[in-house]
Each structure stands twice: as structure tokens, then as C-alpha cells.
Amino acid sequence: MALMTAKEYIDSLRKLNTRVYMFGEKIDNWVDHPIIRPSINCVAMTYALAQDPQYADIMTATSNLTGRTVNRFAHLHQSADDLVKKVKMQRLLGQKTASCFQRCVGMDAFNAVYSTTYEIDEKYGTSYHENFKKFLIYVQDNDLTVDGAMTDPKGDRSKAPHDQKDPDMFVHVVERRPDGIVVCGAKAHQTGSINSHWHIFMPTIAMGEADKDWAVSFACPTDAEGMYMIYGRQSCDTRKLETGGCIDQATPSSADRRHWWCSTTYSSPTSTFS
Ligand SMILES: Cc1cc2nc3c(=O)[nH]c(=O)nc-3n(C[C@H](O)[C@H](O)[C@H](O)COP(=O)(O)OP(=O)(O)OC[C@H]3O[C@@H](n4cnc5c(N)ncnc54)[C@H](O)[C@@H]3O)c2cc1C
């Protein structure tokens, strides 16, 4: 599959059955919600810029897993040059969105889990690394956005996960089945969580032998059964509703960009960036 356009990315979110709640209510059309949509537009920019030939060297890379062209946000760093281009890509996105474009945590998670699973397999003879590689090829080939889900609510910070009064203060395994695991718990402060197609879960603190059930890392679709997204209160969130939807949408500096930020329909990257 080719890299997604910004419009295809936004349309792909509509196809998911992501369960979103905000201010105590379920939001059905969350993709067009005026509080949420600006953040979706920022992720969409990571897709739009990857389509633009002038940014191809920064925004795309050749996958070391398949040899195919992938969005750099789904790439495993292979060299110092890759790391420099990653920073240039982040700087470019910062200039274009004046906001958080959300795919960085997933990108860091790919790189961390890739090397960690390799080391686990070396030590224990397991096959997590191959499993992860298959998942990442799926992500790269379908040009998906993935949330890096690490921070748990944590409960009493002086206590380990197994010592918490409420075991759900850290995500943990509650059942092991032949086809996988069942987990329970929550993650907090997730950047771009609802705007992601998949989540990679990782533990948030160092754990001991007694925390075995909490020492778990896995990937699952954002709309998996039992996943609920609670969109948190932010200090400036209702300002987006108070001015006809044209404040706090980042910093438009031309009529075209104003159209990009304030419209619910997408204008082509060439007209947006001209
Ligand atoms: C804008 C933003 C985006 C984020 N995006 C993501 C994301 O995409 N994915 C993700 O997984 N997380 C994300 N986070 C979460 C972030 O990584 C956590 O907020 C951070 O790790 C701190 O954890 P906490 O909020 O639980 O604070 P706490 O752990 O409660 O820490 C609060 C303070 O208490 C101190 N403290 C904690 N425990 C102890 C202890 N036992 N003894 C003494 N001092 C202690 C800490 O050093 C700190 O100063 C995001 C956070 C922000 C603000």
C-alpha cells in the first residue's frame, strides 16, 4: 500500500470504532469535534508533508525490514544520518503545525521495543523480536499512526505494582489464552491516543519478580473490544469553541493555511504549502 494522504488518514479514523468520551459524554463524531479536530489536523500534516516531493528525503525513509519507502515516523533508525533527519522532520513539523504532531512517541516506542525484544530473545530464547518485526511491517506498509502507551496511573508512588491496593493502577495480565492475553488497567496522559490506529503498551517503571503480571508489552488496535478513550480536560480546551473555531488552531500565517486549520475539509498539500 502507498503512503496515505492527509485525507486518507482522516478518513481512516472514521472507519475505526474508537470509543471516545469527553466531559462525561460519549462523542460519536469525534473526528469533526471542534476541540479534537485541530489535533487530528496536526497528525494529518505528517501524512501531507510525506506526499510532497520537496520533503521526501526528510519525511520518508527506506525500511530496513522490507526495502520499501515508509513514513519516517514508522522507521527504525539505522544511522547517524537517520537521527539527524528525524530531528529535521520534527523541526519541519513544528514549523508547519506550531503544535504537537503526536507521532513521536510511537516512533520512539518502535525503536525501543525493537532493540529490547532482540535482547530478551537472546537471553531467553523467545520469539518476541520476530513477532514485533511482523507488527512493524504491517504498520509501515499500511502507514499507520501508533500511540506509545507507557504512563500508568501508578496509584501510590511509594509502592510497586503488585503492592497497590488497586491492581489496575498499572496495566496487567488477568488471563492467558492460547490466542493471546487479556489485560486490565489504564494508561494516562497519552499523546495522540485517539488519533492513532494502534497502541503499543509498555511498562512505565522498573519491576521485580513479584510484578510479573504487570511486566507486559503488547500492541492492540485503538478500537479493540474493551478499549475506552477518555479525552481529558485541558486548560485552554473550550477556547476552541468560543471564537468560531479559529483560535488555538495553531498559527495560520496565510489565507491558505487559515483554510487548513479552520476547515473540516482538507485542501491539497500543494495549495496549503504554496
Ligand atoms: C504533554 C504530555 C504528553 C505526554 N505524552 C505521553 C505519551 O504519549 N505516552 C505516555 O506513556 N506518557 C505520556 N506522558 C506522561 C509523562 O511521561 C508522565 O507524566 C511522566 O512520566 C510523569 O509521570 P506522572 O505524571 O505519573 O508523575 P509522577 O510519577 O506522579 O511524578 C510527579 C513528581 O513526583 C516525583 N516522584 C514520582 N514518584 C516518586 C517517588 N516514588 N519518590 C519520590 N518522588 C517521586 C517525580 O519525580 C515528579 O517530580 C505525557 C505527559 C505530558 C505532560
Side-chain angles (χ1 to χ4, degrees), residues 9 27 76 90 92 94 101 103 135 150 176 193 207 219 234 243 273:
Y9 160 68
I27 312 289
L76 296 166
Q90 291 169 314
L92 176 68
F101 30 92
R103 284 177 85 176
F135 169 69
M150 197 157 64
R176 290 176 172 80
S193 182
M207 300 197 188
Q234 295 162 34
T243 54
F273 302 127

Side-chain angles (χ1 to χ4, degrees), residues 128-262:
Y128 296 126
H129 191 61
E130 286 309 311
N131 294 351
F132 178 72
K133 277 186 352 197
K134 276 187 214 146
F135 169 69
L136 190 56
I137 290 170
Y138 173 77
V139 167
Q140 291 181 341
D141 285 351
N142 290 281
D143 200 11
L144 301 178
T145 291
V146 178
D147 174 80
M150 197 157 64
T151 305
D152 298 82
K154 298 186 199 157
D156 183 340
R157 267 66 175 160
S158 68
K159 292 189 169 140
H162 76 276
D163 243 356
Q164 299 285 336
K165 208 164 140 195
D166 179 352
D168 292 344
M169 285 297 109
F170 291 80
V171 168
H172 61 118
V173 181
V174 290
E175 193 184 339
R176 290 176 172 80
R177 295 179 183 167
D179 60 342
I181 54 172
V182 180
V183 297
C184 195
K187 292 286 181 181
H189 313 308
Q190 295 302 299
T191 300
S193 182
I194 65 173
N195 304 339
S196 302
H197 303 100
W198 277 69
H199 282 57
I200 290 185
F201 286 78
M202 296 156 288
T204 195
I205 58 168
M207 300 197 188
E209 190 63 26
D211 300 313
K212 248 183 180 168
D213 285 343
W214 287 265
V216 60
S217 182
F218 60 94
C220 84
T222 301
D223 62 350
E225 196 189 330
M227 284 266 277
Y228 295 92
M229 308 284 149
I230 316 295
Y231 201 92
R233 178 81 172 84
Q234 295 162 34
S235 58
C236 56
D237 48 19
T238 55
R239 284 205 306 198
K240 296 186 181 79
L241 301 174
E242 286 158 10
T243 54
C246 281
I247 195 168
D248 283 349
Q249 315 281 318
T251 50
S253 60
S254 70
D256 275 345
R257 250 190 247 167
R258 189 171 187 284
H259 175 71
W260 162 271
W261 296 117
C262 298

Side-chain angles (χ1 to χ4, degrees), residues 2-11 44 47-48 51 143 266 269:
L3 297 177
M4 272 196 266
T5 64
K7 183 179 181 313
E8 284 167 344
Y9 160 68
I10 293 169
D11 288 346
Y47 288 89
Q51 298 281 326
D143 200 11
Y266 171 71

Side-chain angles (χ1 to χ4, degrees), residues 6 11 15 30-31 43 48 55 61 105 163 193 195 228 234 263:
D11 288 346
K15 289 178 195 149
W30 56 274
V31 173
V43 183
Y55 299 125
V105 196
D163 243 356
S193 182
N195 304 339
Y228 295 92
Q234 295 162 34
S263 157

Side-chain angles (χ1 to χ4, degrees), residues 17-22 24-28:
N17 181 31
T18 308
R19 300 162 198 88
V20 178
Y21 289 78
M22 190 198 293
E25 285 178 8
K26 187 164 190 292
I27 312 289
D28 290 324

